[in-house]
């Protein structure tokens, strides 16, 4: 439903002048609700971004443990370097979403719609920025997990008879 209202929030407003007030009110309420949820999602996402550093530290510790066992961990080190290189890009994407929310075009300071068209554009842009950040995080994590999976397949645990 979010995308329907974000892509065409003005659909049908000119059809019935008497009913436009109610449609506008419903649309404003939905935009306000979406914007509020986006602010909450931004906070949740920021907490997850902070955890990326913890993941990096734990991964480095695991790589050191594997190196001490005499295993070749160069592929894991490369994957960790790639993961760590993504963190600034993820943070920048997240900051873009935060900036859009801080600008709150179409909304007043207390999240009330002041301009429907601007609010619709803001909600759409914030949605895209949050999605972009989320996708970057998922991809970085998946690549790191895949590297460990490949490592485990190439280095199966040895059993002692």
């Amino acid at each position: 439903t979010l995308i329907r209202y974000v892509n065409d929030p003005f659909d049908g407003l000119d059809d019935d002048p008497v009913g436009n007030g109610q449609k506008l009110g419903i649309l404003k309420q939905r935009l306000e609700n979406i914007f509020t949820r986006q602010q909450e999602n931004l906070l949740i996402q920021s907490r997850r971004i902070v955890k990326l550093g913890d993941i990096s530290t734990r991964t480095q510790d695991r790589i050191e443990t594997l190196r001490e066992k005499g295993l070749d961990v160069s592929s894991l080190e490369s994957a960790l370097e790639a993961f760590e290189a993504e963190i600034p890009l993820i943070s920048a994407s997240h900051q873009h979403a935060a900036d859009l929310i801080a600008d709150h075009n179409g909304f007043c300071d207390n999240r009330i719609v002041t301009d429907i068209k601007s609010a619709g554009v803001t909600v759409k842009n914030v949605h895209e920025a949050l999605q972009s950040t989320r996708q970057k995080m998922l991809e970085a994590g998946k690549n790191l997990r895949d590297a460990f999976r490949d490592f485990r397949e190439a280095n199966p645990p040895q059993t002692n008879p």
Side-chain angles (χ1 to χ4, degrees):
T1 60
L2 167 66
I3 300 303
R4 187 176 105 206
Y5 291 104
V6 171
N7 287 340
D8 193 8
F10 319 109
D11 185 38
L13 290 181
D14 295 328
D15 296 344
D16 180 19
V18 176
N20 279 350
Q22 183 178 8
K23 288 179 183 179
L24 283 172
I26 291 170
L27 179 58
K28 284 182 177 182
Q29 185 63 48
R30 287 184 176 169
L31 287 169
E32 291 164 3
N33 291 342
I34 291 167
F35 192 64
T36 299
R37 280 194 308 271
Q38 287 176 331
Q39 290 173 323
E40 293 165 359
N41 289 339
L42 183 76
L43 291 173
I44 292 167
Q45 195 174 74
S46 66
R47 288 185 208 122
R48 290 180 178 158
I49 290 171
V50 168
K51 291 180 181 180
L52 294 177
D54 296 339
I55 291 170
S56 181
T57 301
R58 287 193 323 262
T59 301
Q60 185 61 50
D61 292 345
R62 179 68 178 139
I63 290 172
E64 289 302 320
T65 301
L66 293 169
R67 183 189 335 266
E68 290 170 3
K69 291 181 179 181
L71 298 171
D72 178 17
V73 293
S74 58
S75 63
L76 295 177
E77 289 174 325
S78 297
L80 179 59
E81 287 174 16
F83 178 81
E84 289 174 341
E86 286 296 313
I87 293 174
L89 301 173
I90 291 167
S91 295
S93 180
H94 177 76
Q95 187 58 48
H96 176 63
D99 292 344
L100 290 169
I101 287 176
D103 290 343
H104 58 76
N105 292 330
F107 295 90
C108 64
D109 290 339
N110 57 357
R111 303 178 191 157
I112 304 297
V113 172
T114 57
D115 179 359
I116 288 182
K117 289 184 181 183
S118 294
V121 170
T122 297
V123 164
K124 180 179 180 182
N125 291 340
V126 170
H127 173 74
E128 290 171 353
L130 289 171
Q131 279 297 108
S132 174
T133 304
R134 180 179 183 273
Q135 193 60 39
K136 284 176 175 57
M137 289 174 64
L138 290 172
E139 191 172 312
K142 181 186 179 307
N143 292 340
L144 191 59
R145 282 189 309 276
D146 288 348
F148 268 90
R149 184 196 64 228
D150 294 343
F151 178 83
R152 282 190 305 272
E153 288 174 1
N155 300 285
Q158 297 178 2
T159 58
N160 294 332

